[in-house]
Amino acid sequence: MDPHLWDSAIQQIATLTHSSGGILMGQSGLHEALYFTHHTNVSEESIRQLGSRHVLNPWTQYMWTTSPVGVAVPTDRILPAADLRRTAFFDEVLRPSDVSHSLMIGLTQKTEFGVGVSLNRPFRQGPYGEAEQRLLTALAPHLRRSVQLGFRVDAYKALQHQAYESLDRLAIGVILLDRRGKIVFANAAALALDDARGPLRLGRRSVSHTSSLHTRRIEALVQKSLQGTPMAAISVPRSDDSYPLTILATPMRGRDVDRLAAASLKDAAVLLFIVDPASKVGVSPRLLMEAHGLTHAEANVAVAMSAHGTIPDTARALGVSPNTVKTHLRNVFSKLGIGHQAELARLIGLLRVVNQPAPPASAAVRR
C-alpha cells in the first residue's frame, strides 16, 4: 500500500541473507527501460548506468529467458565472478556499489515488463549458498503478492486521478453530495460559481444560495433525489440579474456508486449538474480541426465568429480583412454542412461542454 516501505523491507531481507544491500526493480527488456527501483546501499550512479546503458545485461537476460518466476538464482551460476569482472556491466553498474555476487529472483514476468529482486554482496563475502536461496524462495510468494497489490493500488490511483481530471474538464458544474447533502466533490466549473459575484456557496456542509429562499429550494431538490426522483431541476437567479443558473439533480445508481468507490467517492448519493448560460468558456479550435477537418485558420474564424457575431467584429478580433473572414466562413459552412451563422453558433455552444484547457486537478474540492 505504501511504496516507501520497500526500502526498509529490502534492507531487512538483505540483513537476513548477509547481504550488503539489495534492489527491487521494474524493467522491460523489450523496451530496454528501467521503470522504478527501491533499493538500499546501491549507489545512484549504479542506478543511472543500469537504466541508461545496461537494462539488458548478462544477469537480467538469463532471468528473462531461463529462470522461472519465484526461484532464487545466484548470479555465479549465470556468470562466474572472474568473467563478470571483465564486462562493462561490472565496471559501470556493479563496481560503483562494490557488488560482485548477487542473488536474484523474478516476481512478475511478462513479455514487455518484469519485476525482480536482487540481493548484493562484495567480492570478499563470496557467493550465495543454498540457505540464502531457500530463504529468498520462501519469501517470494509474499513479495509477489505485495508487488501485485501495489500495482492494483497504483492503477486505482491513476483511475481516480483520471476521473477527477475528466470532471474538471467539463464546463458544466458537477457536484457530488452524500446522503446528508454534504459535498464530497465539486469540479472546477462548479467552484468558479462560488466567488464574490457568484450566486452559490459551496461550504463544507452543503450547497447554498446567497438567498435563503433559494437555498431552501436547493435543499428540497436534493431531498427529491435522495427519495428516488430520477431527475429534477430548478433555476436560481444570479445576483446581477443576468441569466439564471439551471440546477439538475439525479440520484446515484448502484453501479455508479461502485464505480466511484475506486475514486474514494463511495459515499456519493446525489449528482448535481449546474448549467450556466452566461459562461464565457471558449472552444478550442483544435476540437473543430479534429472533428470536422477544418484548417487552423478556418477553426479560428468559426470560434471567433461565434463569440463576436458579425464579420467586421470577427475581422477586427483576428486582425484580418472582412473578405478573408468571408472566405474562411464559406469553407466552414461547407465542411460542417450548415448554411447560417445561427447554426454555427448552436454547434459551438454544444462544444462548450468541454473546458479548454483543463484546469489543474488541485482546483477541485476533494473531501
Side-chain angles (χ1 to χ4, degrees):
M1 298 293 288
D2 183 358
H4 295 95
L5 296 177
W6 271 113
D7 289 357
S8 62
I10 295 297
Q11 178 60 65
Q12 292 178 59
I13 297 172
T15 300
L16 288 171
T17 55
H18 310 290
S19 304
S20 60
I23 180 171
L24 172 82
M25 50 191 165
Q27 57 188 340
S28 170
L30 180 65
H31 301 294
E32 295 190 38
L34 182 66
Y35 294 111
F36 67 83
T37 64
H38 299 286
H39 54 84
T40 178
N41 200 26
V42 177
S43 76
E44 292 302 322
E45 175 62 17
S46 294
I47 300 297
R48 190 181 70 80
Q49 290 289 344
L50 178 65
S52 63
R53 289 170 50 82
H54 295 284
V55 172
L56 290 179
N57 59 69
W59 290 355
T60 56
Q61 286 179 328
Y62 178 90
M63 298 301 291
W64 278 92
T65 60
T66 306
S67 178
V69 168
V71 176
V73 178
T75 55
D76 292 81
R77 184 188 303 170
I78 301 172
L79 187 67
D83 296 334
L84 176 70
R85 285 171 165 262
R86 291 194 289 268
T87 65
F89 168 58
F90 177 82
D91 285 338
E92 297 178 4
V93 176
L94 303 181
R95 190 192 298 276
S97 295
D98 191 20
V99 174
S100 291
H101 308 281
S102 284
L103 183 62
M104 305 186 73
I105 190 164
L107 302 180
T108 68
Q109 186 170 308
K110 296 183 179 181
T111 303
E112 70 284 357
F113 180 73
V115 178
V117 169
S118 175
L119 301 174
N120 304 321
R121 282 180 177 176
F123 184 78
R124 61 183 176 276
Q125 275 192 263
Y128 287 88
E130 291 186 3
E132 292 92 355
Q133 293 177 50
R134 285 196 298 270
L135 176 58
L136 187 57
T137 299
L139 286 174
H142 309 286
L143 294 171
R144 291 186 66 189
R145 280 193 291 271
S146 295
V147 167
Q148 290 164 356
L149 177 60
F151 286 160
R152 288 176 184 152
V153 170
D154 286 344
Y156 281 134
K157 288 179 180 177
L159 287 173
Q160 175 181 347
H161 177 74
Q162 186 178 42
Y164 286 146
E165 195 172 72
S166 297
L167 290 174
D168 270 341
R169 292 183 70 89
L170 294 178
I172 295 174
V174 177
I175 299 176
L176 295 173
L177 306 174
D178 65 14
R179 292 195 170 278
R180 296 168 297 171
K182 180 180 177 181
I183 299 173
V184 294
F185 173 85
N187 74 344
L191 290 174
L193 296 169
D194 182 6
D195 59 22
R197 294 171 296 177
L200 297 185
R201 296 294 177 262
L202 308 186
R204 293 192 60 83
R205 298 187 60 184
S206 62
V207 181
S208 62
H209 193 275
T210 52
S211 159
S212 58
L213 170 64
H214 295 297
T215 293
R216 291 193 293 272
R217 293 180 63 221
I218 294 172
E219 292 172 349
L221 179 72
V222 171
Q223 286 302 314
K224 279 187 178 181
S225 289
L226 289 173
Q227 293 165 10
T229 302
M231 179 67 77
I234 61 172
S235 65
V236 295
R238 288 175 169 275
S239 55
D240 57 5
D241 293 328
S242 62
Y243 295 107
L245 300 178
T246 299
I247 304 178
L248 299 94
T250 184
M252 299 297 295
R253 297 168 297 181
R255 62 175 177 270
D256 296 322
V257 174
D258 291 341
R259 187 182 302 118
L260 290 168
S264 303
L265 299 174
K266 61 184 178 182
D267 295 327
V270 176
L271 177 60
L272 299 181
F273 296 102
I274 305 173
V275 182
D276 181 9
S279 173
K280 301 299 183 183
V281 170
V283 173
S284 169
R286 180 176 55 83
L287 293 178
L288 291 169
M289 294 167 66
E290 293 177 355
H292 299 285
L294 271 60
T295 67
H296 190 267
E298 292 165 353
N300 281 337
V301 166
V303 172
M305 192 70 187
S306 69
H308 299 287
T310 68
I311 290 176
D313 289 343
T314 299
R316 280 192 292 270
L318 296 177
V320 298
S321 71
N323 285 336
T324 298
V325 172
K326 290 178 183 178
T327 299
H328 288 316
L329 202 55
R330 282 195 296 269
N331 294 335
V332 169
F333 286 174
S334 176
K335 291 181 179 180
L336 298 183
I338 59 178
H340 304 284
Q341 289 177 212
E343 294 177 90
L344 175 62
R346 183 177 62 83
L347 174 62
I348 298 297
L350 291 173
L351 290 175
R352 285 198 176 96
V353 70
V354 179
N355 218 338
Q356 296 286 335
S362 60
V365 173
R366 315 279 193 255
R367 295 198 177 106

